[in-house]
Amino acid sequence: EAQVTQNPRYLITVTGKKLTVTCSQNMNHEYMSWYRQDPGLGLRQIYYSMNVEVTDKGDVPEGYKVSRKEKRNFPLILESPSPNQTSLYFCASSSAGTETYEQYFGPGTRLTVT
Amino acid sequence: ILNVEQSPQSLHVQEGDSTNFTCSFPSSNFYALHWYRWETAKSPEALFVMTLNGDEKKKGRISATLNTKEGYSYLYIKGSQPEDSATYLCASDYGQNFVFGPGTRLSVLP
């Protein structure tokens, strides 16, 4: 089954404790992206990647890091989480360079930083 | 920061009614316009991707149009059903940098 998976689905952590949220897709997609969703705001892009070893900042990259060492994986790293990073996070992937490159979203990770 | 707007913010319609929403986006450096359907407790699901001015796409009772010159897109739902209840998101693509609107929350009352 074609899918985007994220782990963990739920996480409660404390300020300053480094964490990684994993994202993996099995569709051989070139493009992957991370978003955060906060009440009253639309999905906001954090980082995106056009292919292996190619990453770019989205609209809200501060406090986050990403890496793209393999095509299927795109982890989101919070080196020193803060309470304002409490949010619902979505990973998405798509096949770049085709006419209908619709994004497939993962199930979401709800992060709470206390 | 680019801003994508959607209206209305929320909408309640009766089963069988037809309805439409608007997405407005900056048209400079525009590449594509995406529509997504997002049900509560689920992930957004792609409905349409449109790139050309005048594009029209249709999937069952749902259709969408695109005007890239003036920077807007309409989503239409014909004969709304309770299962159409969801938040409808649009996103403007500026070369893989996606900017999402805040969504229109649709409730279809039986």
Side-chain angles (χ1 to χ4, degrees):
Chain A
E1 181 190 354
Q3 60 182 355
V4 179
T5 57
Q6 294 178 227
N7 282 293
R9 295 287 312 280
Y10 303 90
L11 179 61
I12 301 174
T13 190
V14 296
T15 298
K17 186 176 181 181
K18 181 180 178 180
L19 67 92
T20 299
V21 184
T22 65
C23 173
S24 184
Q25 49 91 8
N26 62 1
M27 295 169 278
N28 201 35
H29 284 164
E30 295 83 7
Y31 177 85
M32 297 185 75
S33 183
W34 276 104
Y35 299 90
R36 60 178 288 174
Q37 200 275 325
D38 301 292
L41 299 174
L43 288 164
R44 292 182 292 168
Q45 194 171 40
I46 303 170
Y47 269 95
Y48 61 96
S49 169
M50 299 288 284
N51 215 321
V52 175
E53 301 292 358
V54 180
T55 62
D56 270 302
K57 295 178 180 179
D59 291 329
V60 288
E62 294 78 20
Y64 304 95
K65 286 175 60 177
V66 292
S67 69
R68 189 88 183 275
K69 293 184 171 60
E70 305 166 283
K71 198 172 187 179
R72 64 182 291 125
N73 296 322
F74 190 45
L76 179 70
I77 304 156
L78 285 72
E79 293 272 1
S80 182
S82 62
N84 64 13
Q85 292 178 298
T86 292
S87 188
L88 177 61
Y89 292 86
F90 285 101
C91 178
S93 73
S94 71
S95 179
T98 60
E99 184 179 332
T100 55
Y101 51 99
E102 56 192 32
Q103 290 190 90
Y104 294 82
F105 281 81
T109 295
R110 187 167 293 282
L111 172 66
T112 302
V113 183
T114 61
Chain B
I1 293 181
L2 298 167
N3 191 41
V4 174
E5 298 177 348
Q6 290 187 247
S7 63
Q9 185 176 15
S10 65
L11 191 57
H12 297 263
V13 302
Q14 289 295 135
E15 183 175 354
D17 287 351
S18 294
T19 187
N20 64 84
F21 331 128
T22 304
C23 173
S24 302
F25 56 90
S27 53
S28 60
N29 299 316
F30 167 87
Y31 188 74
L33 194 284
H34 299 236
W35 279 101
Y36 294 86
R37 181 171 179 274
W38 192 3
E39 290 183 71
T40 303
K42 294 187 177 181
S43 306
E45 291 183 9
L47 286 172
F48 305 113
V49 180
M50 296 180 289
T51 56
L52 299 176
N53 186 45
D55 255 356
E56 290 189 35
K57 293 280 178 84
K58 187 175 181 181
K59 188 181 289 187
R61 294 179 292 99
I62 303 177
S63 61
T65 60
L66 178 66
N67 183 321
T68 60
K69 293 183 179 179
E70 295 180 44
Y72 66 83
S73 175
Y74 293 135
L75 186 79
Y76 301 91
I77 302 179
K78 185 177 179 182
S80 302
Q81 299 297 308
E83 58 264 31
D84 295 329
S85 297
T87 296
Y88 291 83
L89 300 173
C90 70
S92 191
D93 173 9
Y94 299 94
Q96 303 291 349
N97 176 210
F98 286 85
V99 181
F100 278 79
T104 292
R105 184 184 295 275
L106 173 67
S107 297
V108 182
L109 308 173

